Amino acid sequence: MKIAITSTGKTLDSNVDPRFGRTAYFIIADTETEEFDAIENSNVQASGGAGISSAKVVIDTGAKVVIAGNFGPNAQRTLDAAGVKSYTGVTGTVAEAIELFKSGKLTQATEPNVQSHFGMDS
Amino acid sequence: MEKNAVIAIASGKGGTGKTTVAANLAWVIAEQEEAVQYLDCDVEEPNGHIFLKPKINQSEKVKVAVPDVDLEKCIGCGKCGQICQYGAIVSIKEKNVLTFEQLCHSCGGCMRVCPSNAIKSKMLDIGTLDCGKAGNVDFVSGKLQIGSVRTPALIKKVKEQIKENYIAIIDAPPGTSCPVVETLKEADFVLLVTEPTPFGLNDLKLAVDLTREMRLPFAVAINRCGMGDNKVEEYCQNEEIKIVMKLADDRRIAEAYSDGEMIIDVLPEYKKSFIGLYENISRKLKE
């Protein structure tokens, strides 16, 4: 399965980015083959709607799951509409996050855990 | 003063006395038997009506157009989401389009690029526009609906009420962001109200940068003179910025304000300050 993880860098030992909409990168990983790609997120500097545009990036990769520190309401609504499952409150490295997901230790988010614009200043 | 002059009363810092100056200035202009309008563009917290006590004879809802998608007609091409600069519309495969009305800036781009004509516009309430009379002052005020973020759109609507052959006194919102830019656009003159404090000076500098960037002629009024320090005056001197009014730090002014009264009604000795301000601005406009 393809999963997306917010990341501060381009590799698996980068940290999970707490921000979803304004994450520096998305790591798109295949849980079976363990192959991965890094996508630079052009929405970091968006004046608005970063969560929605980033959700669209994730949806278009075909990922079925996305892992981040936090999701805002607009991102959550967009991901839900596309049936992409979101997992929140994750810290540590991207590799650790993938392992936690594979071992079923992450809990799925059903509602946004931060307000709009949460990631603007961090 | 020249008829059709548009004078914006602005400030970087909030609470410096924009409304006090704007309302009293409009009042003395009316007393000179000039046709004058007061327009409250501080639509997030309008308060000019507290002092001018207008009789409102026309009140209307202000609406903006936002997209309304017919999913039956949608072919899922995603062009609407690509053109939107604010993420207000997004197409997520299998004919599912989400709209985020509060992020929409009503540019109409999504409707134009849709190849299947699936997007129509629907109207969204953003606030109210009130027009009336306060004595001989023509009164206009906008009030943004709670929760709406479409401040510039409502300000634009308030400014559409500017009449020909009237001197327009515009009460601007504080700060230097989009609502202020929208308010100051096409003003003939900007009066920046400040106070002699470190906060007043810091925010004055920001406001000066903005008016210079917009290439608008401006001058400064210092309110609560006598408190704080001399740094605002020193700054104006160094920058060659004209100070066209100084209003004293007088407790009675604060009391009149707290009672929602006009200074020039309660404390007529200050009338000459506002007449002086009017004359100074008239002179600056001729330059």
Side-chain angles (χ1 to χ4, degrees):
Chain A
M1 183 182 10
K2 248 189 186 180
I3 66 171
I5 308 100
T6 58
S7 173
T8 55
K10 295 180 191 174
T11 58
L12 295 181
D13 55 10
S14 312
N15 283 320
V16 173
D17 199 317
R19 306 162 300 177
F20 173 72
R22 294 174 194 277
T23 179
Y25 295 91
F26 284 106
I27 301 280
I28 311 297
D30 189 311
T31 51
E32 281 96 48
T33 63
E34 303 203 341
E35 284 173 350
F36 74 96
D37 272 325
I39 302 175
E40 197 171 346
N41 184 19
S42 60
N43 301 308
V44 179
Q45 297 294 342
S47 58
I52 299 158
S53 304
S54 292
K56 172 76 173 156
V57 170
V58 170
I59 293 162
D60 288 347
T61 64
K64 296 285 171 248
V65 161
V66 58
I67 300 169
N70 305 296
F71 295 94
N74 292 342
Q76 192 74 58
R77 190 182 145 206
T78 311
L79 292 166
D80 285 351
V84 176
K85 293 192 176 99
S86 51
Y87 292 85
T88 180
V90 183
T91 55
T93 67
V94 172
E96 285 163 1
I98 295 170
E99 280 316 304
L100 283 171
F101 172 75
K102 287 208 299 200
S103 59
K105 285 184 183 144
L106 296 181
T107 42
Q108 198 184 328
T110 49
E111 49 188 46
N113 67 325
V114 291
Q115 303 239 320
S116 291
H117 302 150
F118 178 83
M120 290 271 262
D121 303 318
S122 41
Chain B
M1 192 182 292
E2 202 186 316
K3 288 199 166 100
N4 292 324
V6 177
I7 318 293
I9 316 295
S11 78
K13 185 181 173 299
T16 55
K18 285 180 298 299
T19 301
T20 302
V21 171
N24 283 276
L25 178 62
W27 205 249
V28 295
I29 294 174
E31 282 187 354
Q32 318 281 311
E33 298 186 355
E34 298 254 29
V36 62
Q37 277 187 298
Y38 167 90
L39 301 108
D40 201 340
C41 282
D42 191 2
V43 300
E44 288 178 17
E45 44 250 328
N47 61 354
H49 61 279
I50 295 173
F51 304 97
L52 287 165
K53 303 179 178 62
K55 191 170 175 288
I56 302 299
N57 44 39
Q58 203 190 330
S59 187
E60 61 176 271
K61 282 219 183 303
V62 178
K63 298 167 193 283
V64 292
V66 295
D68 187 17
V69 184
D70 181 350
L71 292 176
E72 293 292 312
K73 287 189 187 169
C74 174
I75 54 167
C77 68
K79 284 185 177 158
C80 52
Q82 285 157 18
I83 196 166
C84 184
Q85 298 301 296
Y86 300 97
I89 186 164
V90 61
S91 160
I92 40 177
K93 58 189 181 181
E94 280 102 50
K95 293 186 163 197
N96 194 355
V97 177
L98 295 181
T99 56
F100 296 83
E101 289 171 357
Q102 289 295 350
L103 298 177
C104 174
H105 284 55
S106 304
C107 72
C110 55
M111 299 171 205
R112 282 179 168 235
V113 297
C114 179
S116 62
N117 212 12
I119 310 176
K120 298 263 177 289
S121 65
K122 64 175 177 189
M123 301 311 281
L124 182 72
D125 280 352
I126 59 164
T128 48
L129 177 72
D130 290 332
C131 299
K133 274 276 187 191
N136 289 324
V137 176
D138 200 87
F139 181 91
V140 184
S141 179
K143 188 177 178 187
L144 195 70
Q145 192 167 294
I146 291 172
S148 176
V149 292
R150 302 293 305 275
T151 317
L154 183 52
I155 289 171
K156 204 174 266 182
K157 203 76 193 171
V158 173
K159 289 178 71 183
E160 279 174 13
Q161 306 303 314
I162 293 176
K163 288 180 184 166
E164 262 189 59
N165 297 321
Y166 273 74
I167 297 165
I169 304 296
I170 299 184
D171 198 351
T176 51
S177 62
C178 298
V180 181
V181 173
E182 188 61 50
T183 303
L184 299 191
K185 261 185 207 165
E186 287 140 32
D188 297 303
F189 189 81
V190 181
L191 178 68
L192 298 175
V193 184
T194 189
E195 58 181 32
T197 64
F199 299 104
L201 176 58
N202 180 76
D203 295 355
L204 172 65
K205 287 177 181 171
L206 299 172
V208 166
D209 284 351
L210 173 69
T211 43
R212 281 184 174 154
E213 180 89 29
M214 292 179 76
R215 297 168 192 270
L216 298 170
F218 68 98
V220 164
I222 307 179
N223 191 9
R224 300 188 195 107
C225 260
M227 73 179 307
D229 56 32
N230 287 326
K231 299 244 166 60
V232 167
E233 288 196 48
E234 283 168 21
Y235 165 77
C236 289
Q237 214 158 35
N238 291 338
E239 293 285 325
E240 296 178 2
I241 297 166
K242 180 109 170 122
I243 298 169
V244 286
M245 184 194 211
K246 287 184 189 176
L247 204 54
D249 180 32
D250 182 340
R251 188 186 162 89
R252 295 173 306 158
I253 293 178
E255 284 170 0
Y257 173 88
S258 304
D259 290 334
E261 300 288 352
M262 300 284 281
I263 303 173
I264 52 174
D265 285 347
V266 181
L267 304 164
E269 64 265 42
Y270 282 106
K271 192 175 273 186
K272 62 179 188 299
S273 299
F274 286 95
I275 293 171
L277 173 64
Y278 173 52
E279 288 167 354
N280 279 337
I281 295 174
S282 302
R283 213 169 296 134
K284 289 293 261 180
L285 277 169
K286 286 194 188 113
E287 280 174 13

